Amino acid sequence: MRAVRIVGHGEVAVRDVPEPTPSSHDVVVTVTATSVCSTDRKLATRGHDHPCTPGHEVTGLLPDGTAAGIYPEVTCGRCAACRAGWHNRCPDRESIGLARDGGLAELVSVPTSQVVPLGGLDPVTSSMLEPLACAVHAVDVCGVSPGEPAAVVGGGAMGILCGWALQAAGCPVAICQRPGPRQRIAHEMGFDVVFGPESTPRDHLDDAPAAVVVTAPGAAPLQWAVEQVALGGVVHSFAGTPGGALVDANAIHYRHLKLVGSTGSRLSDYRRARDLVASGEIKLDRLPHRVVTLEEAPAAVLERPPDGVLKTIVAMG
Ligand SMILES: [Zn+2]
Ligand SMILES: [Zn+2]
């Protein structure tokens, strides 16, 4: 079968590889679509000791023809985190497309416990259910109440998805994004307020935001959030920052803030993401995306999508 392989530092290529040999707990999924994310780009840039197939945002067909999304966190099932349902906190997890071969291939072998039937959702754009699940999870971790204003820093794909997840939680949402193509997209995505960092959310919302989700990397967006969130509010550090980012501990202390973080999602978040799309509450296909072929996937993994596009989906066709 054909698969996209990370073959070295910054080297990605389509290769012919043997079909996966499933264990007794696994099912071989015929991949329909896999969306590409910045994590794949980081993996490819860093390179692997041995060639591997990226792709953790995957949909496909089960052997019986059922269309399914794949929840990517493969966990031990025994540790305290797993027993409490925090699959994304399992220290021994081997996620699909990260620690084991992923979905940028014609076939992928996954444990049967990872498949979530799509129930009639679009099988191509549903590859974006995985990042939506991460956004749903982040909002859950923030613990916002309906009606509380919230803000998101960054108008990339994760910023828009976190904004939609906050709206689904009942929050009026302001998106902070510098002027440019992404600010225009955020306007079109139906948010109450879109503004640049030269103004503050209080200029636009009735109250300071009770929660700010920071999807832009670096120290400056995090510091901005710590200053702009309401007294006693919560700041979610959603973006990984190469080299790390320091936070002003005095602002956390004197402003009574909660600083939280999360990566990935729980199986329940993935199912909730599917249900939010199935009910029409979140229109996932509105996220500006382009669809490319497997042959075009290596370039899509290595390069950012063009202006006006937030997500690239590889359709196996
Ligand atoms: Zn991702
Ligand atoms: Zn575990």
Side-chain angles (χ1 to χ4, degrees):
M1 68 163 184
R2 291 174 308 152
V4 174
R5 305 287 277 178
I6 297 173
V7 290
H9 295 270
E11 264 185 87
V12 181
V14 177
R15 292 280 157 87
D16 273 313
V17 298
E19 292 191 1
T21 43
S23 78
S24 58
H25 305 294
D26 284 13
V27 63
V28 174
V29 175
T30 303
V31 177
T32 304
T34 298
S35 48
V36 175
C37 104
S38 53
T39 302
D40 300 317
R41 195 165 306 121
K42 279 183 214 155
L43 283 179
T45 309
R46 209 184 305 145
H48 264 258
D49 299 340
H50 54 90
C52 77
T53 301
H56 55 275
E57 306 178 358
V58 190
T59 59
L61 292 176
L62 306 182
D64 68 0
T66 304
I70 296 173
Y71 169 72
E73 318 269 11
V74 181
T75 61
C76 81
R78 295 182 302 275
C79 71
C82 282
R83 289 201 309 275
W86 295 99
H87 311 102
N88 51 339
R89 296 184 186 179
C90 173
D92 295 322
R93 70 187 186 282
E94 295 197 337
S95 301
I96 293 160
L98 296 157
R100 52 188 279 164
D101 281 343
L104 280 171
E106 291 176 304
L107 301 170
V108 62
S109 176
V110 303
T112 50
S113 53
Q114 310 297 121
V115 301
V116 176
L118 290 178
L121 294 187
D122 180 85
V124 174
T125 53
S126 289
S127 57
M128 299 187 289
L129 283 178
E130 196 281 332
L132 177 60
C134 298
V136 166
H137 183 70
V139 169
D140 200 38
V141 166
C142 287
V144 288
S145 301
E148 286 184 327
V152 175
V153 183
M158 291 319 305
I160 301 297
L161 293 175
C162 285
W164 283 345
L166 283 163
Q167 285 183 327
C171 299
V173 176
I175 303 275
C176 179
Q177 168 64 46
R178 285 179 206 289
R182 288 190 169 192
Q183 196 185 63
R184 283 196 295 279
I185 289 171
H187 271 293
E188 291 162 11
M189 293 297 110
F191 293 102
D192 303 275
V193 173
V194 179
F195 65 103
E198 70 288 348
S199 64
T200 74
R202 265 163 294 189
D203 298 335
H204 306 278
L205 296 164
D206 291 340
D207 293 304
V212 180
V213 181
V214 183
T215 67
L222 207 52
Q223 181 58 28
W224 186 90
V226 161
E227 290 166 6
Q228 298 302 330
V229 73
L231 207 70
V234 53
V235 172
H236 190 296
S237 174
F238 191 90
T241 293
L246 296 177
V247 182
D248 178 359
N250 278 342
I252 306 285
H253 172 68
Y254 289 111
R255 303 198 65 241
H256 305 261
L257 303 184
K258 285 186 281 293
L259 181 61
V260 300
S262 64
T263 176
S265 65
R266 296 166 298 197
L267 181 57
S268 56
D269 300 308
Y270 193 99
R271 291 203 178 105
R272 169 131 174 87
R274 177 200 56 186
D275 294 346
L276 285 168
V277 177
S279 69
E281 206 166 334
I282 289 180
K283 297 189 170 37
L284 195 52
D285 55 357
R286 285 194 65 209
L287 193 76
H289 61 276
R290 62 173 174 162
V291 179
V292 303
T293 64
L294 187 67
E295 277 64 35
E296 295 166 319
V301 168
L302 289 169
E303 293 152 24
R304 285 175 189 284
D307 279 355
V309 174
L310 297 185
K311 204 76 177 157
T312 299
I313 302 175
V314 180
M316 297 306 153

